[in-house]
Amino acid sequence: MTLGRDELGHRSETVRRANLSAIVRALHEDGPLSRSDLVGRTGLTRSAIRALIGELAAGDLVRESPATLDGTPGRPSPLVQPDPEGAFALALEIAVDSLAAATVGLGGRVFDAIRTELAPGRTDVDDIVADLADLATSVLDRRPSPAGLAGVGVAVVGVVRRDGLVSMAPNLGWRDEALGERLAGALGTVVPMVFANEADLAALAEHRRGAARGVDDVVLVWGSVGVGGGLIVRGEPLTGAAGYSGEVGHLPVNPAGVACRCGSTGCWETEVGTGAVIRRAGYPAEGGREALEAVLRQAEEGSPRAIGALAETGRWLGIGLAGLINILNPRLVLIGGRLAPTYPFVRATLEAELDRRVLRAARQLVRVTPASLGLDAPLLGAAELALEPLLIDPAAWLRPRGVMTELESA
Amino acid sequence: MTLGRDELGHRSETVRRANLSAIVRALHEDGPLSRSDLVGRTGLTRSAIRALIGELAAGDLVRESPATLDGTPGRPSPLVQPDPEGAFALALEIAVDSLAAATVGLGGRVFDAIRTELAPGRTDVDDIVADLADLATSVLDRRPSPAGLAGVGVAVVGVVRRDGLVSMAPNLGWRDEALGERLAGALGTVVPMVFANEADLAALAEHRRGAARGVDDVVLVWGSVGVGGGLIVRGEPLTGAAGYSGEVGHLPVNPAGVACRCGSTGCWETEVGTGAVIRRAGYPAEGGREALEAVLRQAEEGSPRAIGALAETGRWLGIGLAGLINILNPRLVLIGGRLAPTYPFVRATLEAELDRRVLRAARQLVRVTPASLGLDAPLLGAAELALEPLLIDPAAWLRPRGVMTELESA
DNA sequence: ATCATTTGGAAGAGAGGAACACAAACCACG
DNA sequence: CGTGGTTTGTGTTCCTCTCTTCCAAATGAT
């Protein structure tokens, strides 16, 4: 997520790159802005902004439109916004029981999105790659200028490396599958493709466009069948050494507890995963999504058993979160995915456990709320991931699409 | 630890700042380098390096010495190194049973260092501040040019905010003590003063000059009376929202366990802290350092009980570390502080627990080793912390010490 | 002596800053 | 209801800062 240059030296070219990046990023994260807004935000002069915007507009990354008259005095400042015919990302998602694809432009605008149920048992890599490629084609075909594709981001429900090597995806039965290579082959694209875990991407999306907006230290707990985590540190996703970070589902919280599908015992997800919730409420552990929804309905109707099951889940949520908060000192904790709707019922016991277990200083600083983007968060995060290279270095995008310089054509 | 500018715009001045910073940082982290080395490392041209070095030399930050003839052909390149008469940091430490102070120059050279035992019971803030100020004076007085003091860093055994507000220091019995203000008053310095937890600073030191050198994702477990943690993420310390991060000692690992002094139950430090180790070996929990050393001696002599106590500690170390590794996906885990010498005896059970509990992908990537800097690591880390502003913006240091510009004198 | 490597310095190019004239909106006042 | 003042912004030109390029000279190994 950083520039990734070995060489630390800066030159005037670096300055231009950084300034183009600052402008594109500001427009992407905060929507249409007037030139004046950009002056204020970057600290650059009007002259500089003007030249930079001009370059971006020439490369079809942004577009200027007449100022909106908002009643303030002074000469109106033209509005700068991402060009909807310009660059966009392809976001893909392999979820527990569905596949999804979307095209998303700079600024986070979703052009087209599809999600299809994944037939039970259809977990072979080749099948999923084929289905995903079909979805991708169908959203890509609806874009007027397919050449605007800047990158592909893929959210995967499993432990996945940045390059698409899936080390483990228990829900799919995968182990060491080279998803990246297969998908690149099936899509035949030349643009960069990046992979990440669904919870990591949900956190990225919530940070950019959801409940964690503007908060630089965030922990997201993402419930699906298992439990994943997405961490934002210093305003950026924490990926770890290889992208395997955030596997909070396997935090040991109860060494005397039950066996986890990972081979260990007492992992957090054995206490707060879907299976644990519905088991406590009296459903068979394999009940899945429907059973969880049933428990929620019953809780809303006042069923003591359902309410009790959720409260106990909240207690364990609090225990695990206490550890995360003590370790990371976040300002915000988000409860997302299938856990989000349980929030009203887990809240009390969860907070009580935090009161007991989190050091006072960190406790005072942290707030727990449900996530705001719903189940599409990983897909939106995949789009953010795919756009990242463009945000870091818009100049690289402008250059090859413009007129060749003398030097390059020589 | 980052630049901390609100405004994202870059200008030519930014370039120079960044390049000066790159040079000073390279010299600080990797010792004396020839101009050519710097050319290679920064990617800048000789001319640029020449001018930058000239500016740094004029400001007494670096010094050029004749080239060492190493038998390679070509004109010899002068060696550039931090000026030992130039800038330096004052590092202070409040440890469990001692106080320490040191002056440390750019490049990590320790000029003078003192450590004194803390008399049992002498834990009043005023007393400690007075003692610390005495130590500081004694090392500062031995520097030829006291004006070279660039910053003060303070390592504290407790939960402390960057500005020196100690939220909690159980070993000292402190709660919400404004250590920063008091110490600033006692020292009477005008240079910036920064505080951090001892484990965080030990991690910083190990990352810069110890066993974690060159590794960008690191977890350090620091044993003293309790257990602290220092996390390095993307090559930088993870401080969290307010500097309270890394309190791994209070990771809940055993909800059915014993009460912790923090008020919770089953915290990691109740299983791996000094108290737990010596209790398992048959000593009273208050035995402290001497008892721990006795257990180690007995283990070395082959005592089954001591060996068993350490092995069981290793098991719990592994359980907690498994959580940290699953969350953070580090490349390296360091065992430091009073836990370091136990490493040979905890290793086997620790690694076995990791094999069981860490996801395979992350497990393959991580190595566990003892830390290398010993008990002075927090003090050295405090020096690194104090020097950080200088590394980030050497120009700010050069400017006020040089000749005033027309504009400034006007 | 030759070669590889580096230093030193002058001229050039890229990028943003500063200053000035001018433009377009709101607002108050006659 | 028009008119002029005020405010906020744009366009343009020239300036400054910083790195790069290029050429000549220096230095030590072979």
Side-chain angles (χ1 to χ4, degrees):
Chain A
M1 199 82 21
T2 47
L3 203 49
R5 285 162 44 90
D6 298 330
E7 302 188 332
L8 303 150
H10 286 211
R11 46 201 68 183
S12 35
E13 180 199 342
T14 317
V15 172
R16 192 149 192 97
R17 205 179 6 226
N19 287 341
L20 285 171
S21 171
I23 290 176
V24 174
R25 182 155 242 134
L27 292 173
H28 177 63
E29 297 188 356
D30 299 326
L33 295 169
S34 75
R35 282 203 200 176
S36 291
D37 292 337
L38 288 167
V39 167
R41 184 168 307 232
T42 60
L44 298 175
T45 58
R46 295 186 227 297
S47 323
I49 292 290
R50 194 175 87 91
L52 292 164
I53 297 286
E55 188 168 346
L56 291 172
D60 289 333
L61 272 186
V62 308
R63 169 174 293 188
E64 279 191 293
S65 48
T68 56
L69 304 183
D70 58 349
T72 56
R75 175 170 173 171
S77 188
L79 215 56
V80 186
Q81 55 191 318
D83 187 332
E85 316 258 298
F88 66 93
L90 171 64
L92 301 175
E93 182 185 1
I94 302 175
V96 167
D97 45 20
S98 67
L99 299 179
T103 45
V104 180
L106 266 183
R109 179 166 159 195
V110 178
F111 294 122
D112 290 289
I114 323 182
R115 184 176 291 275
T116 63
E117 292 287 309
L118 194 56
R122 188 170 170 83
T123 59
D124 187 78
V125 183
D126 290 321
D127 293 341
I128 287 188
V129 164
D131 289 357
L132 216 45
D134 284 348
L135 290 183
T137 311
S138 86
V139 292
L140 285 176
D141 282 349
R142 302 178 67 166
R143 289 273 70 214
S145 58
L149 182 62
V152 182
V154 188
V156 180
V157 54
V159 179
V160 60
R161 212 166 59 182
R162 281 187 263 281
D163 64 358
L165 176 71
V166 179
S167 165
M168 185 177 84
N171 299 298
L172 302 165
W174 294 0
R175 217 178 135 110
D176 294 321
E177 293 284 357
L179 177 64
E181 288 171 23
R182 308 242 195 146
L183 200 51
L187 289 177
T189 59
V190 291
V191 297
M193 189 184 286
V194 194
F195 295 76
N197 172 269
E198 56 172 359
D200 294 333
L201 291 179
L204 177 56
E206 293 284 348
H207 177 56
R208 288 271 173 81
R209 319 215 166 266
R213 198 163 175 151
V215 185
D216 280 348
D217 298 274
V218 184
V219 170
L220 165 77
V221 184
W222 183 260
S224 65
V225 170
V227 174
L231 313 176
I232 303 285
V233 166
R234 286 184 234 121
E236 283 183 24
L238 170 56
T239 61
Y244 298 139
S245 70
E247 288 297 334
V248 299
H250 304 284
L251 188 65
V253 292
N254 191 5
V258 302
C260 177
R261 54 187 177 156
C262 76
S264 177
T265 55
C267 293
W268 197 24
E269 80 172 40
T270 65
E271 301 290 353
V272 301
T274 309
V277 181
I278 61 183
R279 185 171 22 85
R280 288 192 187 108
Y283 288 81
E286 307 75 34
R289 182 170 45 157
E290 291 77 15
L292 184 64
E293 280 162 7
V295 174
L296 271 170
R297 254 196 323 276
Q298 290 166 13
E300 275 154 18
E301 288 160 5
S303 150
R305 181 158 193 192
I307 290 175
L310 289 169
E312 177 67 2
T313 304
R315 203 170 71 77
W316 284 102
L317 270 173
I319 292 176
L321 276 177
L324 288 168
I325 296 168
N326 278 329
I327 294 169
L328 297 167
N329 181 212
R331 201 173 285 282
L332 180 65
V333 171
L334 294 181
I335 310 291
R338 302 224 182 283
L339 280 170
T342 71
Y343 176 74
F345 301 102
V346 298
R347 175 181 179 170
T349 46
L350 188 164
E351 299 266 1
E353 219 47 56
L354 295 189
D355 289 340
R356 271 192 66 202
R357 298 183 180 274
V358 177
L359 294 184
R360 194 170 42 94
R363 179 71 183 100
Q364 288 168 345
L365 228 60
V366 75
R367 226 180 69 239
V368 182
T369 69
S372 67
L373 298 178
L375 296 177
D376 275 334
L379 188 63
L380 297 174
E384 295 294 331
L385 186 64
L387 287 171
E388 195 62 20
L390 184 62
L391 299 179
I392 289 172
D393 187 6
W397 172 259
L398 297 173
R399 189 50 65 94
R401 312 172 63 79
V403 182
M404 278 188 136
T405 65
E406 295 159 39
L407 203 128
E408 284 168 342
S409 57
Chain B
M1 198 81 25
T2 47
L3 204 49
R5 285 159 45 91
D6 297 332
E7 302 187 333
L8 303 149
H10 287 211
R11 47 202 69 183
S12 37
E13 180 199 344
T14 317
V15 172
R16 193 157 194 90
R17 206 181 3 229
N19 287 341
L20 286 170
S21 171
I23 290 176
V24 173
R25 184 154 240 135
L27 293 172
H28 177 63
E29 297 188 355
D30 298 326
L33 295 168
S34 74
R35 282 202 201 175
S36 288
D37 292 337
L38 288 167
V39 166
R41 183 168 310 231
T42 60
L44 298 174
T45 58
R46 296 185 225 297
S47 310
I49 293 290
R50 193 174 86 92
L52 293 164
I53 298 287
E55 188 168 345
L56 292 172
D60 289 334
L61 272 186
V62 307
R63 169 174 293 188
E64 279 190 293
S65 49
T68 56
L69 303 183
D70 57 352
T72 56
R75 178 171 174 170
S77 188
L79 214 58
V80 186
Q81 57 192 317
D83 189 332
E85 316 257 298
F88 66 93
L90 172 64
L92 301 174
E93 182 185 359
I94 303 175
V96 167
D97 45 19
S98 66
L99 299 178
T103 44
V104 179
L106 265 184
R109 179 166 160 193
V110 178
F111 295 121
D112 290 288
I114 323 182
R115 184 177 290 276
T116 64
E117 293 286 309
L118 194 56
R122 186 170 171 84
T123 60
D124 187 78
V125 184
D126 290 321
D127 293 340
I128 286 189
V129 164
D131 290 358
L132 216 44
D134 285 347
L135 289 182
T137 311
S138 85
V139 291
L140 285 175
D141 282 348
R142 303 178 67 165
R143 289 272 70 214
S145 58
L149 182 63
V152 183
V154 189
V156 181
V157 54
V159 180
V160 59
R161 211 166 59 181
R162 282 188 261 282
D163 64 356
L165 176 71
V166 179
S167 165
M168 184 178 84
N171 299 297
L172 302 164
W174 294 0
R175 218 178 133 108
D176 294 321
E177 293 283 357
L179 176 64
E181 288 171 22
R182 308 243 194 143
L183 200 51
L187 288 176
T189 60
V190 290
V191 296
M193 189 182 288
V194 195
F195 295 75
N197 172 269
E198 56 172 359
D200 294 332
L201 291 179
L204 177 57
E206 294 283 348
H207 177 56
R208 288 272 172 83
R209 319 213 166 266
R213 198 163 174 151
V215 185
D216 280 348
D217 297 275
V218 184
V219 169
L220 166 77
V221 184
W222 184 261
S224 65
V225 170
V227 174
L231 312 176
I232 302 286
V233 167
R234 285 183 234 122
E236 282 183 24
L238 170 56
T239 61
Y244 297 139
S245 70
E247 287 297 334
V248 300
H250 303 283
L251 187 65
V253 291
N254 190 6
V258 302
C260 176
R261 54 189 179 155
C262 77
S264 178
T265 55
C267 291
W268 197 24
E269 79 172 42
T270 65
E271 301 291 351
V272 302
T274 309
V277 182
I278 61 182
R279 184 170 25 82
R280 287 193 187 108
Y283 288 81
E286 307 75 35
R289 182 170 44 157
E290 291 76 14
L292 184 63
E293 280 162 5
V295 173
L296 271 170
R297 256 196 321 275
Q298 289 166 11
E300 275 154 18
E301 289 161 3
S303 151
R305 181 159 194 190
I307 289 175
L310 289 169
E312 176 67 3
T313 304
R315 203 170 72 76
W316 284 103
L317 270 172
I319 292 174
L321 276 177
L324 288 168
I325 295 168
N326 278 329
I327 293 169
L328 297 167
N329 182 211
R331 202 174 284 282
L332 180 65
V333 171
L334 294 179
I335 310 291
R338 301 222 182 284
L339 279 171
T342 71
Y343 176 73
F345 302 101
V346 299
R347 176 181 176 168
T349 46
L350 188 163
E351 298 267 1
E353 242 8 88
L354 296 189
D355 289 339
R356 272 192 64 202
R357 297 180 182 276
V358 177
L359 294 184
R360 194 169 43 94
R363 179 70 183 102
Q364 288 168 346
L365 228 61
V366 75
R367 225 179 70 238
V368 182
T369 68
S372 68
L373 299 177
L375 296 176
D376 275 335
L379 187 62
L380 297 175
E384 295 295 330
L385 186 65
L387 287 171
E388 195 60 21
L390 184 62
L391 299 179
I392 289 173
D393 188 5
W397 172 260
L398 297 173
R399 190 50 66 95
R401 312 172 62 79
V403 182
M404 277 187 137
T405 64
E406 294 159 38
L407 202 128
E408 283 168 343
S409 58

